[in-house]
Amino acid sequence: MSLFPADIEDQARRIIMDFSARGKMVATAESCTGGLIAGALTEISGSSAVVDRGFVTYTNQAKMDMLGVTDATLATHGAVSKETALQMVHGALHRSKAAVAVAVTGIAGPGGGSAEKPVGLVHLAAKSRSGKVQHREMRYGDIGRTEVRLATVRTALEMLAEVAAQA
């Protein structure tokens, strides 16, 4: 029995199989998902050959300390922003042996949203060492904390699979 829905487990299994076959590793940098992306990947047997590390950076201080997100970025754009997600993914690559990294930051709810940054807003970034960075802004809506987090995991795994071709 898996901790995750079958579609997420299937996505994670494909990533583990693909990365394992190519000898590539992945790192995750997570805020609103609190480690669920790394958890989905490590749910799969054999993931130790693929998952280098996961950074759970729930606070701004953790984002700065662990991933090198700048105080200026957080002050200017906020934790939930494209700029922060991009710095998070770059930091995860810089501070790991991974060929590919994914980063997520968002507002899962039920509180914490605003008119400018509503509940369900998530910024994701993925990058391989040799490829271009990808960014997605998702607006899942106020669908519930668990559903926002699971939707974010699904999108993050999709992005990992897409950038894997560049790795």
Side-chain angles (χ1 to χ4, degrees), residues 19-126:
F19 276 58
S20 182
R22 298 191 305 135
K24 301 292 183 182
M25 297 193 88
V26 65
T28 64
E30 304 181 59
S31 187
C32 62
T33 50
L36 288 175
I37 301 164
L41 292 168
T42 59
E43 186 74 6
I44 307 304
S45 178
S47 60
S48 60
V50 172
V51 179
D52 179 53
R53 64 193 72 190
F55 301 90
V56 177
T57 56
Y58 215 69
T59 66
N60 287 350
Q61 192 64 51
K63 289 173 183 64
M64 292 187 291
D65 293 348
M66 296 172 69
L67 298 170
V69 175
T70 66
D71 186 49
T73 295
L74 293 167
T76 303
H77 303 285
V80 180
S81 65
K82 175 181 181 178
E83 293 79 8
T84 296
L86 294 175
Q87 285 189 359
M88 288 172 68
V89 80
H90 286 290
L93 280 175
H94 180 72
R95 290 166 168 83
S96 73
K97 302 288 185 195
V100 174
V102 65
V104 301
T105 184
I107 304 166
S114 66
E116 184 179 291
K117 294 184 179 183
V119 169
L121 172 65
V122 179
H123 286 273
L124 303 95

Side-chain angles (χ1 to χ4, degrees), residues 58 107-114 117-120 141-146 148-149:
Y58 215 69
I107 304 166
S114 66
K117 294 184 179 183
V119 169
D142 192 358
I143 58 175
R145 184 175 184 82
T146 298
V148 168
R149 294 173 81 206

